[in-house]
Amino acid sequence: MSYVKYVVPADELELSTIIKARDVAVDLLKSAIKNRGKDPNNYVIRDILPKTDLGLANEEWKISYTNAYTWETKINLTLPEDKFIVLYGVQVNSAVPKTTAIKFYKDINPIDVIEIENLYTYDNPIGFFTPIVWSESETIRIDFYGNSSGDEYIVFRGFVAELKRKTITG
């Protein structure tokens, strides 16, 4: 597939490169806001939350696989007006990781697939990829491919932009 991306393990990066990756993600988020004809100065940018922003069951980075060796959709929601999301990294906190790949969609179109199994050969299973941005009214869908059933503790590195003075509920 032409949209397959490589994940760069954090252990192979200098701290300054990781900080730059965060800055690039924020800049892309601001550009997405501008592209909608809005002023980024009217928005608060904060860390992404699993339940509040991505619709997981709790404010805990946990998904549950029901089957092995199949794609399972775990995140599927349409962003409300004035909400923007960028993802740029992934971290696996499970003692015995199950996830081998992640597929990202914008609306119904697959836009990226990342293979993360290579991260498990490092002390810190954290990786960074080219940032992916979703803008207001777009559907964000994320499918996960696991090698066994059960719980997986998988964290996305990303940010959310929302209008200032908006009440955050979860």
Side-chain angles (χ1 to χ4, degrees):
M1 293 181 255
S2 63
Y3 52 86
V4 174
K5 301 271 178 143
Y6 179 74
V7 175
V8 180
D11 285 350
E12 293 182 7
L13 299 172
E14 298 287 330
L15 178 59
S16 61
T17 303
I18 293 171
I19 291 169
K20 185 175 182 178
R22 290 173 52 95
D23 293 343
V24 167
V26 169
D27 289 344
L28 288 171
L29 200 56
K30 290 177 181 178
S31 291
I33 295 167
K34 287 179 188 175
N35 288 341
R36 293 291 176 119
K38 300 182 179 199
D39 183 356
N41 293 320
N42 293 332
Y43 287 77
V44 172
I45 296 176
R46 60 171 174 78
D47 287 330
I48 194 162
L49 296 168
K51 180 180 179 183
T52 300
D53 302 317
L54 296 177
L56 294 180
N58 298 295
E59 293 298 0
E60 175 183 34
W61 289 102
K62 179 176 115 177
I63 60 169
S64 297
Y65 287 106
T66 55
N67 296 297
Y69 302 110
T70 186
W71 288 103
E72 295 187 27
T73 301
K74 299 299 178 184
I75 296 169
N76 191 1
L77 59 96
T78 301
L79 294 179
E81 186 176 339
D82 291 318
K83 190 168 191 173
F84 300 79
I85 288 178
V86 63
L87 299 179
Y88 68 96
V90 64
Q91 171 179 333
V92 181
N93 291 337
S94 299
V96 180
K98 296 170 178 46
T99 304
T100 60
I102 304 169
K103 189 182 299 185
F104 300 93
Y105 293 79
K106 188 177 289 189
D107 297 322
I108 60 169
N109 303 311
I111 54 173
D112 281 320
V113 175
I114 58 171
E115 195 280 333
I116 66 168
E117 205 168 8
N118 66 319
L119 297 178
Y120 307 145
T121 62
Y122 294 88
D123 291 335
N124 299 307
I126 302 168
F128 297 94
F129 49 85
T130 303
I132 307 167
V133 178
W134 289 267
S135 297
E136 59 184 355
S137 304
E138 292 180 336
T139 298
I140 175 173
R141 177 177 145 195
I142 304 175
D143 294 356
F144 297 80
Y145 193 91
N147 60 18
S148 63
S149 61
D151 293 339
E152 178 81 293
Y153 297 90
I154 189 161
V155 179
F156 281 117
R157 301 287 178 104
F159 299 106
V160 174
E162 293 180 306
L163 274 178
K164 289 180 181 177
R165 293 183 292 283
K166 179 180 168 117
T167 302
I168 298 172
T169 59

